[in-house]
Amino acid sequence: MDCTMKNEFSGLTVLDLSRYLPGGYATQVLADMGAEVIKVEDTGRGDFCRHDEPRMNGESYYFTALARNKKSLSVNLKSEEGKEIFRKLARKSDIILESFRPGVTARLGIDYEQIKAVKPDIIYCSLSGYGQFHPNSQKALHDINMQAQSGYLSLNGGRTSPLHLCDLASGMVAAQAMLAALYQRSVSGKGNYIDISMFDSFVWWNSMLDSRYYFYGGSLEARDLEYPAVCYNIYDTKDGGKIAVGMVEEKFWKEFCRLTGAPELVPVQMCRRHEAPEAFSRMEGIMASRSLAEWKEWLSDKDLCMAPVLSKGEAIEDILKQDNGLIEYHAFPGTGKVLQTNIPHKMSNLPLSLKDALPPPALGEHSRELLLRLGYTGEQAKRMAEEGVIKVSIKEE
């Protein structure tokens, strides 16, 4: 993103009090679109994701992925002066996002009702495990627990995922809700309180499974899912590689069966293993008859829904070769050369580029700058830093 470029989002200020993935993922969308996103962090460790391994030159992969184009205000919200700083900043802001356990912001004196009193049109988004009023809202539960309680884990073999699915679902829902609230405010002039539940967000992702459950008469097990099917599965090649086969359209499946000399597989296209074990064995034999390289060569002139399963490194290199701005290398002062993944929103009147992305901020990097903007003097900022009301990074000093 060219951070000097002015657009419709560059006048927006977003205060992000969240930690870890859901909130950071949501506000990354706004930051990359041009909004000023200020991470409001404590004066101790800051956002916890600053410290996750692996790290490069002391900088975490986690924070590097989520915090470009953002600023950092490190402030002690338990102090009266810290609360006042936040309220002054809130008066000049458009959106606040927080991910504390329900009740914490009220105790700090910065919940929606208290901020609304000083900024009536504020858009205030609370992001938590189960929302503010659910019976589980005060329980210490994480992504995997919510996947379990949604019924999802009973259908995927009870396996963990390389991605935190509830975190990502709620981050996306929060971003959608904040953008919707901005539009609504542009029409009505009114602010909004947004209550985002990670569990609810993931249940939304499960909508097709839940509908399927009902259509099966109130029961759903892994064997009831349409996949894996003979035509839609991951198969091993002769040399231990893997091929993802997704020929759900009849025309592709018939052509594949013709080319591989397996016409007997045409009528069992959508059968699952327990319905047609012989067909699965036949398909496994066909796929194991060639090496991965041989399948790639065989597929080079064919229009079939088949693709080699790439390693993460192979996939990244393929995307980099496309040079479409989705993934790029950047040199940031703290880390040196790192890989950055752009948000995928492609809009003709809102170009989104990583070319001039600003590096993730040091903890408290913009504390002094923001206090001066609020009308505090340099001496006041210095005193508050000495007293622990704010933290100022070495860069800013």
Side-chain angles (χ1 to χ4, degrees), residues 95-98 123-127 174 178 192-194 196:
I95 298 174
I96 295 172
L97 181 143
E98 60 88 10
I123 294 167
Y124 195 111
C125 180
S126 292
L127 203 163
M178 290 186 292
N192 220 316
Y193 179 68
I194 304 168
I196 300 295

Side-chain angles (χ1 to χ4, degrees), residues 20 45 68 83 111 130 140 259:
Y20 279 133
R45 303 181 74 223
R68 66 171 177 266
K83 296 184 208 296
D111 64 339
Y130 289 85
L259 292 170

Side-chain angles (χ1 to χ4, degrees), residues 365-380:
E365 182 174 340
H366 303 92
S367 297
R368 187 174 185 278
E369 169 196 323
L370 291 166
L371 260 63
L372 295 178
R373 197 167 87 188
L374 292 173
Y376 291 96
T377 66
E379 283 302 311
Q380 287 175 310

Side-chain angles (χ1 to χ4, degrees), residues 230 235 264-265 268-269 271 276-285:
V230 179
Y235 291 101
E264 73 277 12
L265 292 181
V268 293
Q269 175 184 7
C271 287
E278 300 86 358
F280 263 86
S281 295
R282 175 78 168 104
M283 187 64 178
E284 286 166 347

Side-chain angles (χ1 to χ4, degrees), residues 137-244:
S137 66
Q138 295 299 323
K139 290 186 177 180
L141 295 168
H142 278 295
D143 187 287
I144 194 169
N145 311 121
M146 297 170 207
Q147 289 190 40
Q149 293 186 339
S150 74
Y152 175 79
L153 289 184
S154 71
L155 301 174
N156 82 332
R159 294 187 298 272
T160 59
S161 168
L163 294 171
H164 297 298
L165 303 182
C166 297
D167 286 357
L168 292 170
S170 56
M172 292 175 67
V173 171
Q176 292 169 349
M178 290 186 292
L179 291 169
L182 281 171
Y183 172 74
Q184 186 181 46
R185 190 178 72 171
S186 73
V187 175
S188 69
K190 296 178 181 179
N192 220 316
Y193 179 68
I194 304 168
D195 184 11
I196 300 295
S197 158
M198 292 170 60
F199 179 75
D200 291 0
S201 300
F202 190 59
V203 168
W204 181 41
W205 274 20
N206 275 256
S207 60
M208 298 300 290
L209 296 174
D210 296 341
S211 181
R212 194 179 188 89
Y213 157 86
Y214 184 78
F215 273 68
Y216 268 120
S219 175
L220 186 64
E221 299 177 8
R223 64 186 277 121
D224 298 320
L225 301 179
E226 66 264 61
Y227 307 126
V230 179
C231 72
Y232 197 96
N233 194 21
I234 299 168
Y235 291 101
D236 292 330
T237 63
K238 182 168 64 176
D239 58 344
K242 292 184 182 297
I243 292 279

